[in-house]
Amino acid sequence: MSFEIESKITGELLKNSVIISNRSMQNELLSRGYGEKDEKELILNSFETLYLSYIKKLRVLTKKKNMSFDQLLQIYKKNDDDIFIKFLIYRDLRNRGYVVKNGFGFGSDFLVYEKGYFGQKGAKYLIFALNEGTQEKIIHIQKNIEQITQMGKDPIIAVIERRGEVIYYKISKVDFLKNEKDSQVVDFNF
């Protein structure tokens, strides 16, 4: 999904969000799946802000000073240690043409819409972000898989490998034997 705005968007950093006040820019961003409308303003979350700053479509101001991508990243890292991992996955999904929103529960990081269906159908995928080398107890993910699939959504694990490449794994419900010591930890060292 290409981003067809010719002029650079300007937003103001307030706490952990960026506010877009210009109405025409709000409409343009909303139509492409960016931000959430709140009364008179459009609010961009951290990974949307980082992405738009990274592709040089957003100029973020705070106290009338321009914020660089690196400055924004440092600000967001204070509240979310995994923001860079989320940014890499968000960037990859956007570059592949998907509309990506904040996850809405079940421990998911992103809600992803099928290509061409944003605004027409509900999201198809729930993405769980993991860094390669992370150990995760499968029981945490397993509890949510059944509920997610009953909602008609596909659970996906997105793993950031050491070189920064994103690898996606579609997951489904699996029954594990009760072996507390060995079978409940998934190691993402490949």
Side-chain angles (χ1 to χ4, degrees), residues 114-153:
E114 285 183 279
K115 292 179 184 178
Y117 287 101
F118 175 72
Q120 299 171 19
K121 289 172 73 175
K124 177 75 173 149
Y125 309 102
L126 278 175
I127 307 283
F128 299 89
L130 293 174
N131 199 5
E132 183 179 13
T134 301
Q135 289 189 356
E136 181 70 37
K137 290 191 177 201
I138 201 69
I139 193 83
H140 295 149
I141 297 172
Q142 183 185 9
K143 289 179 182 177
N144 298 323
I145 294 171
E146 189 173 327
Q147 290 175 310
I148 291 168
T149 53
Q150 285 176 353
M151 293 173 14
K153 301 189 184 325

Side-chain angles (χ1 to χ4, degrees), residues 42-104:
L42 181 75
I43 301 169
L44 298 175
N45 65 35
S46 57
F47 47 82
E48 291 170 325
T49 299
L50 287 170
Y51 176 72
L52 291 170
S53 175
Y54 179 81
I55 64 170
K56 310 262 190 262
K57 294 294 182 181
L58 176 65
R59 184 174 71 145
V60 178
L61 301 175
T62 183
K63 299 177 185 173
K64 299 190 180 190
K65 292 182 183 178
N66 281 332
M67 301 286 295
S68 70
F69 173 85
D70 291 333
Q71 289 170 321
L72 288 167
L73 184 60
Q74 292 310 311
I75 289 169
Y76 291 137
K77 272 186 173 181
K78 291 176 185 175
N79 294 318
D80 185 354
D81 291 335
D82 295 328
I83 190 61
F84 191 65
I85 293 167
K86 292 175 185 175
F87 162 73
L88 291 173
I89 294 169
Y90 184 86
R91 181 184 69 180
D92 185 68
L93 290 166
R94 276 291 185 170
N95 288 343
R96 292 173 186 249
Y98 292 98
V99 172
V100 183
K101 298 301 236 173
N102 221 355
F104 68 88

